[in-house]
Amino acid sequence: DGLRSSCLEVLVGIAENEEIMARKYTKFLQHTVFLGMKLMMEVSHDPQWVLKDHEAERGKDGNNEYANLAMDRFALAIGGRKLKPIIFPMISNCVSQKDWKMRRAGLMTLSQVAEVVELKDLPVPKVCEFLKDPHPQVRHAAANCIGQISNDHEPMVQERFHKLIIPQLLHLTIDNRAPRIQVHAAAALFNFVENCEEKILEGYADTIIVELVKVLKSGSRSVQEQVLT
C-alpha cells in the first residue's frame, strides 16, 4: 500500500516541480490520474459506516485519503485547461459504473479538480443526481463535491443552481438515518448558503430554519454540533 502511495507522490512531485514539461506528456497525465483514481477506490465497505464519526475513522483508508490530497496538488500544478480533456472522460466513465467505489472515486476526483475548471464545464446537475444514489458513501461524496464547488465558484454557482442544490442538501441534512451524511450535507449546505445573495436566500430561509431546529432536537451529537457551527 505504501509503495503505491509513494509512486503517486513521485508523479505528483514531478508535476509540481516540472509542470511545463509534465503538461507536454499526455500519457504521463493519464497514468497519474489513473493511479490517483485507483487509490481512491480503496475504501472499505462497512454496513455501520453511516453511523460512525468521520474524525474517529480518519486514517482507516490511508491510500484513499492520500490520493485525495495528491489529486488536489496535481490539479493545481497542471491546471484546468490541460487537465480537463484528460480527466473528465475518466470521471464520466467512473460515475457511470455499477460499482459504488468507482462512482465515489469519480465524484471525489471531480471535487479535487473543481477549483481549476470553469463552472460552465462542471456537470453540477449530474453531481446532484448522486445525492440520491443508493449507496451512502456515494451520496456522501456527492455532498462533498457540491460543497467544494460552492466554495470554488461562488457566487455564480449559487445564482445558477440554488433551486437544484438547496432542497436536495437540506433533504440529506434532515435524514436522521445517516448521521455521517447529515454532517457532511449540513457542511455543504452552509458552504452554499453563506455565499448566497440575500434575495436568493429569502426564498429558503424559513424552511431551512424550521428543518434545522428539528435536527437540533432529534439529531445525533455530531450532527447538532455541525448545525450549530
Side-chain angles (χ1 to χ4, degrees), residues 116-178:
V116 300
V117 178
E118 293 184 48
L119 177 60
K120 66 181 180 64
D121 295 320
L122 293 171
V124 176
K126 183 66 176 178
V127 174
C128 287
E129 292 179 14
F130 290 100
L131 293 171
K132 300 178 181 178
D133 193 272
H135 199 282
Q137 293 201 44
V138 178
R139 298 197 299 275
H140 186 272
N144 181 82
C145 191
I146 292 296
Q148 191 63 52
I149 292 172
S150 299
N151 277 338
D152 293 337
H153 295 281
E154 56 86 15
M156 295 82 70
V157 68
Q158 283 80 2
E159 294 171 356
R160 298 181 190 179
F161 297 110
H162 61 91
K163 292 182 180 180
L164 181 63
I165 291 175
I166 291 178
Q168 294 198 56
L169 286 180
L170 185 59
H171 176 74
L172 290 181
T173 300
I174 64 177
D175 185 357
N176 290 331
R177 296 171 299 177

Side-chain angles (χ1 to χ4, degrees), residues 186-211:
L189 179 62
F190 295 152
N191 283 349
F192 191 89
V193 300
E194 71 177 354
N195 293 305
C196 278
E197 293 184 7
E198 185 175 344
K199 63 181 181 181
I200 293 175
L201 199 53
E202 283 177 352
Y204 303 98
D206 289 345
T207 300
I208 291 174
I209 292 171
V210 168
E211 295 299 337

Side-chain angles (χ1 to χ4, degrees), residues 4-81:
R4 285 177 295 158
S5 292
S6 296
C7 289
L8 182 57
E9 176 61 33
V10 170
L11 296 174
V12 173
I14 291 172
E16 290 177 323
N17 292 288
E18 300 291 343
E19 66 272 13
I20 296 176
M21 180 192 72
R23 292 188 189 110
K24 296 179 181 179
Y25 294 95
T26 300
K27 288 293 184 182
F28 168 79
L29 301 177
Q30 289 174 333
H31 286 308
T32 304
V33 171
F34 178 81
L35 178 57
M37 296 182 76
K38 188 73 173 176
L39 293 181
M40 285 185 188
M41 294 176 200
E42 296 188 7
V43 288
S44 54
H45 174 67
D46 182 355
Q48 299 300 310
W49 181 89
V50 295
L51 303 175
K52 294 182 177 179
D53 181 77
H54 173 73
E55 291 301 321
E57 293 278 285
R58 189 178 295 278
K60 183 178 180 180
D61 297 314
N63 278 344
N64 161 60
E65 293 179 13
Y66 172 76
N68 280 311
L69 297 174
M71 290 302 295
D72 179 63
R73 292 164 50 203
F74 186 69
L76 290 173
I78 299 302
R81 186 175 65 85

